[in-house]
Each structure stands twice: as C-alpha cells, then as structure tokens.
Amino acid sequence: MSETKIIKPYAGFQEKFVRSNIDVVFGGGSLGVGKTSAAVLMCAEPSLDPNWRAVFLRNNLGDLKSGGGILDEFRAMYRGGINVVESGDPR
C-alpha cells in the first residue's frame, strides 16, 4: 500500500504566498527561498476545478524546462493528477 505524503508550505514566504486568496499573486525573492515550490503548491486547490488554468512566466524558456525547474516540480508533486502542457520555443 502506498503511504500518503503530505506536502505543505514552509512558514513565512511560502505559507503567505500559497494561502493568498486573490486572483493574481506576484512573489519574488533570492535564490533558494522556495518560490517555485510555493507556486506549484498554490495550484493544488484551484486545480480541482476542471476549467482552471495557470500560466507561469520566466525570463527564458530554459528556466522552465531545465532539470529541477517548475515542470519537474509539478510532475513530482502532482504525479499525473494534473495535465502539464509545455509550449515550444516561441521563436
């Protein structure tokens, strides 16, 4: 039997970011504060609505698709529970 894994935000930035109840949230900070994980966690509740969509923007496409990037975070946390659509190179 598979053990249930509970994933929750860290206190501070992640918790405030994830618990926000507004439509658009901007978060910033230095390297390693958990911005990507917070953004992925923030999608948990709204993803239960089949009409909900999210868009993530980065300075370059490599930041999205690189190992350990946001696409890897989504796949690791949601394991097929959501549909991740990758766009190609816009150029």
Side-chain angles (χ1 to χ4, degrees), residues 3-63:
E3 185 178 324
T4 301
K5 183 176 183 181
I6 298 173
I7 301 171
K8 61 183 184 176
Y10 291 113
F13 168 78
Q14 282 189 351
E15 191 170 32
K16 290 176 187 175
F17 190 84
V18 170
R19 295 186 188 279
S20 171
N21 63 354
I22 59 176
D23 292 335
V24 178
V25 179
F26 294 94
S30 60
L31 185 66
V33 298
K35 298 178 298 291
T36 299
S37 295
V40 173
L41 284 169
M42 193 173 94
C43 297
E45 185 178 349
S47 70
L48 298 173
D49 177 353
N51 297 313
W52 182 79
R53 303 289 182 267
V55 174
F56 291 89
L57 306 172
R58 294 288 176 109
N59 284 336
N60 62 56
L61 193 59
D63 289 342

